[in-house]
Amino acid sequence: MIQWMSQFGAVQQALIATFFTWGVTALGAALVFFFKTINKQVLNGMLGFAAGVMIAASFWSLLAPGIVLAEELGQVAYITAASGFLLGGGFLYLVDKLLPHLHLGLDTSEAEGVKTNWQRSVLLVLAITLHNIPEGLAVGVAFGAVAAGIGTSATLAGAIALAIGIGLQNFPEGAAVSIPLRREGFSRTKAFLYGQASGIVEPIAGVMGAYAVIKIQPILPYALAFAAGAMIYVVVEELIPEAQREVGGSKTDISTIGAMLGFAVMMVLDVALG
């Protein structure tokens, strides 16, 4: 895999990797062809797993190498990391306030962002799309960091590990859109199409991230921290609350266990491959 990917440029690598993560989103959305409903405890566990993966990736794949790169570039590493991290969270905060979207299990009247008359299905898809912006950006920045050739902390194996981890946590996100839509009366095909559409932003964000850090190398440590901050914002603002929301008396311990497993899987991937 590493040898095969090495023959492409960074932007192409980012595009291939994010097409993979998008494909896993579609694979998760395809569960709608087999199930009309999903047990809330199972969904909680899957969302918890996704949160754990994103937390681990934010540190092992983004913040840690970003701090090392900042030091090698002669920057004040803690300032670079903190400012990039907070900018990433601030960016997602603005997007969250402006982009109309609806979290799972809520009534349309509780939609966030700018007020709109868009259909409930569109609002649900946009909620998951918010998750995928920082994920695609993180993968693109990781491959761009390898191409930039600054320091030794950014490796192709590490970038591939990040893409695999993001792909794993995209599986439940695809299902989290398509299956509820099916329950609301959508056909299986339409629910699948909506579910996989939530991942289309990842290749776009991935290519933009890779291209930006190649062209403007000094921003690379900031970009890594920015992607980490954006991902942590999504985890704390959306994934964890959704995974902990009780419906019909379901237990929330399963989401905590899922988060622990997700963190461990992503950590192992990054340390073993990166």
Side-chain angles (χ1 to χ4, degrees), residues 189-232:
T189 300
K190 191 171 182 179
F192 165 75
L193 290 175
Y194 272 101
Q196 63 82 32
S198 65
I200 196 172
V201 71
E202 290 197 8
I204 299 170
V207 168
M208 289 176 62
Y211 185 80
V213 298
I214 291 172
K215 292 300 181 181
I216 316 173
Q217 292 189 8
I219 72 167
L220 178 53
Y222 291 96
L224 289 165
F226 181 96
M231 292 223 294
I232 291 297

Side-chain angles (χ1 to χ4, degrees), residues 44-269:
N44 281 353
M46 293 168 72
L47 292 174
F49 181 88
V53 168
M54 291 180 72
I55 293 171
S58 294
F59 176 75
W60 296 101
S61 300
L62 299 170
L63 275 178
I67 289 170
V68 173
L69 286 172
E71 292 173 342
E72 293 175 349
L73 288 170
Q75 300 173 359
V76 182
Y78 63 87
I79 293 179
T80 297
S83 58
F85 183 85
L86 292 175
L87 283 171
F91 170 74
L92 258 291
Y93 173 82
L94 290 176
V95 174
D96 190 58
K97 295 303 179 185
L98 295 175
L99 183 67
H101 62 284
L102 178 66
H103 297 295
L104 295 171
L106 299 181
D107 187 78
T108 306
S109 62
E110 299 179 83
E112 299 179 15
V114 175
K115 297 300 180 183
T116 179
N117 292 323
W118 292 351
Q119 293 182 352
R120 176 181 174 85
S121 57
V122 175
L123 294 173
L124 284 170
V125 171
L126 287 176
I128 302 299
T129 301
L130 278 177
H131 300 181
N132 293 328
I133 293 173
E135 293 166 12
L137 180 64
V139 173
V141 168
F143 281 101
V146 177
I150 303 174
T152 58
S153 60
T155 66
L156 181 58
I160 292 173
L162 175 61
I164 293 172
I166 295 297
L168 287 175
Q169 64 91 44
N170 274 355
F171 184 83
E173 290 187 352
V177 176
S178 64
I179 293 177
L181 290 179
R182 172 60 178 160
R183 190 171 60 244
E184 292 186 9
F186 282 69
S187 69
R188 294 184 190 275
T189 300
K190 191 171 182 179
F192 165 75
L193 290 175
Y194 272 101
Q196 63 82 32
S198 65
I200 196 172
V201 71
E202 290 197 8
I204 299 170
V207 168
M208 289 176 62
Y211 185 80
V213 298
I214 291 172
K215 292 300 181 181
I216 316 173
Q217 292 189 8
I219 72 167
L220 178 53
Y222 291 96
L224 289 165
F226 181 96
M231 292 223 294
I232 291 297
Y233 183 91
V234 167
V235 170
V236 178
E237 169 70 12
E238 301 185 15
L239 282 182
I240 290 177
E242 288 175 12
Q244 292 285 322
R245 186 178 295 122
E246 293 190 27
V247 175
S250 64
K251 305 298 182 182
T252 58
D253 289 348
I254 188 67
S255 61
T256 304
I257 295 171
M260 295 292 291
L261 289 174
F263 187 97
V265 168
M266 186 65 233
M267 180 175 62
V268 168
L269 277 174

